[in-house]
Amino acid sequence: MEKIVLPDIENIHILDVYIENGGFSAAKKAFAQTSDEVIDQVKKSGLRGRGGAAFSAGLKWSFMPKTTDKPKYLCINGDESEPGSFKDRQIFEYNPHQLIEGILITAYAIGAKVAYIYIRGEYHKWVKLMQKALDDAYAAGYVGEAMKEKFGTDFFCNIYVHKGAGAYICGEESSLMNSLEGKRGYPRVKPPFPAQNGLWGCPTTINNVETITNIPPIISKGWDWFSKIGEPKHPGTILFGVSGHVNKPGVYELPSGTLLTDIIYNYAGGVPGNKDILCVIPGGSSMPPLRGDQLEGVKMDAESLKAAGSAIGTGGIMVMDEDTDLVKVLARISHFYHHESCGQCTPCREGTGWLEKILKRILAGNGSVSDIDLLITVANQIEGNTICALGEAAAWPVRFMVTRFRDYFEARVSKEVNLKVANKVHSMRHTEFPLAEVKN
Amino acid sequence: MSNSEFKFSPENIERINKEIAKYPEKKPAVMATLYIAQEQNGYISNEVIKEVATILEMTSEDVLGVVTFYTMYFQKPMGKHHIQVCTNVSCMLRGGYEIWNQVKEKLGLDNMGVSADQKFSLEEVECMGSCGTAPMIAVNEDYYENLTKEKVEEIINSLK
């Protein structure tokens, strides 16, 4: 299987090697076309965003106003802070020039002369690697004013790296823009959307790192080639990050629609000690968890996962074996969202705290059956009542884990049942519970 | 927490000017400027905030707002080796809490604690993007991944 985003070419992160392998020929090809033609190809390719929402990339670009007296901006979201997600750092490290080329093509398509790559602060090493690649591309004349001569075009674009400073919320696009403007990273009310009112009030497009790294191959090999890879409704490859209880954790680039069980058992080497799987979160910690008996036949693409009662998210697959303490996992997840809530909206600021408190109470052995219902009540009061999607991110894991593992949680709040027995009770009874519906 | 007036070194002023040049106005350079200040001063004091505000034509309150929003700016001096242990789910499933407890015990510190000799400080951090190479710790800017208790012991013993 051909890899598109992280090809098996040694030292492809070095500019000369990238150029030897056809680097920047897609940009040259794109600059010879009109911007509408470029957008049209990306639309037809079916490329969907890899940052979580799986929105059509070409459609997003087409929202940018054609005529405006304001400058336009491109933002690349490399904040990558979703627990279970560790794919963009591979691109910064192993294929940064393809990202740079993708940025140039995108900037041309939307008419932006400045692009910012927002990278999370903890990624010191990857900020440096990305900056090094960018410096090399500048020095060789592929970026900035010099690219006019290099590509024989009137278009040019400057690219800058902006380093975050440790806030999960800045992965949310409007929060990222506020952060980039030098403010606290509070999400903005939408609409207006970034294409109308983005950075400094100007039209802005925000795309994920992996999404943009897909652009050069789409332009050079054609949209029809891309659209035939994987699942037709969500084509291309996806970087699946597998973590938790597997023998070979890591990032695997595979066609969309690859079976979840294939990824876990074949690529990631299965579960240590051949244990059964209790739970899998298929798309990073904010996505609805699946039970071990719900995994058979689940394909990893946006539509299939929606049908299976979860969502693709960032493709971060977290695997938990039969001995995992799910209350501890959920309490940890809830602690995370409480910690990362920006505090702007009351349901999220207060609700995430209550979710954590209740789960810690259950974890300490002081829970009751009414606590389980209370968790769902609180989660339902957060979901849909906040400015940004952190509300959903905090509510989903709780609502779906508690609903899908109801027997497990009931066993855990019963004083007579210990963890080992609770896990057994669960595996005997768990098939009766229907899938809860995902709103997205 | 008052110390004498804070001024950036000439080299750092040059670095800040390069950051400002990336943006259509000065304010967006605040995050990078605060990193540079923290590097020079060790932490973000009130004097640092005043100086950053003056340079970037912001109010001190706006700079303070940024400092307190993000977890990577410190308002007190931290240890020479700032140890960060991830205990989020992927690390937790592979022994993140064992390592957290090990480091806590070894250094005799709690979350955000600083040793008396200011050699070490400790922080329990949220997901660092090392899920596939868990468990992990970071020492200042460097990641150490795929850890065992023995490796953690070795890493901390090697810090001078």
Side-chain angles (χ1 to χ4, degrees):
Chain A
M1 163 60 219
E2 189 187 1
K3 291 177 181 171
I4 300 170
V5 175
L6 295 171
D8 289 317
I9 301 170
E10 210 179 333
N11 291 325
I12 192 78
H13 67 283
I14 296 169
L15 180 61
D16 289 345
V17 178
Y18 183 68
I19 292 166
E20 277 164 32
N21 285 280
F24 293 104
S25 59
K28 201 169 171 79
K29 192 175 169 186
F31 298 156
Q33 304 169 23
T34 67
S35 56
D36 281 344
E37 282 168 344
V38 176
I39 293 177
D40 195 46
Q41 288 167 61
V42 175
K43 260 190 198 166
K44 283 186 188 155
S45 76
L47 175 67
R48 294 170 68 167
R50 301 290 195 251
F55 191 78
S56 162
L59 195 58
K60 198 182 220 182
W61 295 2
S62 70
F63 294 155
M64 290 291 274
K66 293 276 171 259
T67 48
T68 171
D69 47 3
K70 291 176 178 172
K72 297 183 202 175
Y73 292 101
L74 172 63
C75 254
I76 305 301
N77 188 342
D79 193 54
E80 183 156 86
S81 304
E82 176 85 358
S85 177
F86 51 103
K87 62 191 181 67
D88 295 340
R89 66 181 259 193
Q90 316 290 331
I91 296 171
F92 298 138
E93 185 164 353
Y94 299 110
N95 203 7
H97 292 290
Q98 192 171 316
L99 171 61
I100 293 171
E101 187 176 5
I103 291 171
L104 295 178
I105 297 168
T106 310
Y108 176 73
I110 63 168
K113 284 187 170 169
V114 178
Y116 296 100
I117 310 173
Y118 189 107
I119 304 180
R120 67 177 297 182
E122 293 87 346
Y123 277 4
H124 303 280
K125 175 182 161 186
W126 293 276
V127 168
K128 283 181 191 148
L129 290 171
M130 194 63 225
Q131 188 62 55
K132 164 81 171 72
L134 206 48
D135 291 346
D136 290 348
Y138 261 104
Y142 286 99
V143 185
E145 289 239 37
M147 65 184 280
K148 284 189 191 171
E149 199 185 321
K150 195 87 186 174
F151 293 104
T153 161
D154 286 340
F155 169 77
F156 76 94
C157 177
N158 280 304
I159 305 175
Y160 304 108
V161 173
H162 184 98
K163 188 176 175 180
Y168 166 76
I169 192 61
C170 292
E172 197 278 336
E173 60 180 16
S174 62
S175 163
L176 184 148
M177 292 189 300
N178 273 343
S179 176
L180 214 151
E181 288 180 12
K183 301 172 187 160
R184 291 165 76 84
Y186 286 140
R188 299 176 182 173
V189 178
K190 289 184 267 189
F193 291 96
Q196 280 78 50
N197 193 344
L199 279 174
W200 301 290
C202 302
T204 303
T205 292
I206 304 194
N207 286 123
N208 171 264
V209 168
E210 184 186 345
T211 313
I212 294 306
T213 311
N214 272 293
I215 299 297
I218 290 173
I219 299 298
S220 55
K221 295 186 180 174
W223 61 266
D224 47 342
W225 161 80
F226 186 86
S227 68
K228 291 190 184 88
I229 300 166
E231 281 293 304
K233 284 186 173 169
H234 188 186
T237 60
I238 297 175
L239 298 183
F240 294 111
V242 193
S243 66
H245 294 143
V246 287
N247 284 312
K248 291 190 288 178
V251 170
Y252 298 92
E253 180 174 356
L254 297 166
S256 67
T258 302
L259 284 173
L260 177 56
T261 46
D262 199 23
I263 297 173
I264 295 172
Y265 289 105
N266 295 332
Y267 293 96
V271 181
N274 283 321
K275 287 184 186 176
D276 283 338
I277 293 175
L278 181 64
C279 176
V280 172
I281 307 182
S285 68
S286 59
M287 296 300 141
L290 296 170
R291 290 194 319 249
D293 67 324
Q294 294 178 318
L295 310 180
E296 210 51 56
V298 171
K299 291 197 279 184
M300 289 298 288
D301 61 89
E303 302 303 322
S304 308
L305 270 171
K306 202 171 163 184
S310 190
I312 186 81
T314 52
I317 301 167
M318 303 157 103
V319 180
M320 293 158 234
D321 72 21
E322 56 186 304
D323 294 327
T324 308
D325 183 344
L326 277 189
V327 178
K328 203 171 166 188
V329 169
L330 193 56
R332 187 63 187 82
I333 291 175
S334 292
H335 168 75
F336 173 74
Y337 290 106
H338 182 209
H339 183 265
E340 300 298 340
S341 172
C342 79
Q344 234 185 164
C345 311
T346 311
C348 174
R349 183 185 65 236
E350 303 301 320
T352 51
W354 278 108
L355 292 177
E356 185 186 357
K357 268 187 208 168
I358 300 163
L359 280 157
K360 286 199 166 154
R361 182 159 70 211
I362 299 175
L363 189 61
N366 302 321
S368 62
V369 175
S370 64
D371 280 337
I372 301 173
D373 297 319
L374 187 56
L375 281 172
I376 296 174
T377 307
V378 175
N380 285 344
Q381 285 173 5
I382 302 173
E383 191 177 348
N385 295 325
T386 55
I387 290 174
C388 84
L390 195 137
E392 279 72 35
W396 280 6
V398 172
R399 184 153 69 80
F400 286 97
M401 203 179 273
V402 170
T403 322
R404 289 177 184 169
F405 293 85
R406 176 90 196 187
D407 49 355
Y408 178 89
F409 279 81
E410 282 181 5
R412 288 300 301 280
V413 294
S414 156
K415 305 284 177 289
E416 292 78 41
V417 183
N418 68 19
L419 171 62
K420 258 212 158 90
V421 178
N423 284 29
K424 276 220 180 86
V425 169
H426 169 71
S427 58
M428 286 186 306
R429 292 178 44 196
H430 61 191
T431 45
E432 297 159 28
F433 295 90
L435 299 180
E437 206 175 291
V438 187
K439 298 187 236 172
N440 65 359
Chain B
M1 222 184 286
S2 76
N3 59 0
S4 56
E5 200 179 317
F6 172 83
K7 285 283 171 207
F8 283 102
S9 68
E11 301 81 54
N12 282 342
I13 289 286
E14 216 168 285
R15 285 167 72 193
I16 293 165
N17 285 335
K18 271 191 193 159
E19 289 295 332
I20 293 172
K22 291 178 178 179
Y23 310 97
E25 54 185 40
K26 287 185 173 179
K27 189 175 175 177
V30 66
M31 292 181 77
T33 305
L34 285 169
Y35 272 125
I36 294 168
Q38 187 157 282
E39 199 183 293
Q40 185 180 319
N41 193 57
Y43 69 105
I44 308 294
S45 64
N46 292 341
E47 287 69 24
V48 166
I49 289 175
K50 263 184 223 155
E51 183 62 11
V52 171
T54 307
I55 291 178
L56 299 178
E57 294 163 12
M58 295 169 70
T59 65
S60 292
E61 290 75 13
D62 280 344
V63 177
L64 177 65
V66 171
V67 172
T68 55
F69 190 82
Y70 301 93
T71 57
M72 290 173 67
Y73 302 124
F74 301 119
Q75 286 183 278
K76 65 174 185 184
M78 301 305 281
K80 181 183 168 198
H81 305 292
H82 183 57
I83 312 223
Q84 302 140 71
V85 184
C86 174
T87 58
N88 209 302
V89 177
S90 296
C91 277
M92 179 179 117
L93 294 172
R94 298 182 80 90
Y97 273 104
E98 282 76 15
I99 287 178
W100 168 244
N101 290 328
Q102 177 194 359
V103 179
K104 257 187 4 180
E105 199 172 312
K106 186 168 172 67
L107 300 179
L109 296 173
D110 219 327
N111 193 22
M112 295 311 279
V114 186
S115 66
D117 59 1
Q118 296 222 323
K119 195 171 152 189
F120 293 107
S121 51
L122 179 62
E123 185 178 3
E124 180 181 8
V125 288
E126 295 303 337
C127 185
M128 300 280 273
S130 290
C131 321
T133 40
M136 72 88 69
I137 67 169
V139 181
N140 298 333
E141 297 191 352
D142 301 319
Y143 278 32
Y144 296 86
E145 304 177 303
N146 289 314
L147 296 179
T148 56
K149 284 190 149 193
E150 292 71 36
K151 282 192 207 165
V152 171
E153 190 75 15
E154 243 173 69
I155 293 161
I156 295 179
N157 287 340
S158 73
L159 300 172
K160 300 284 176 230

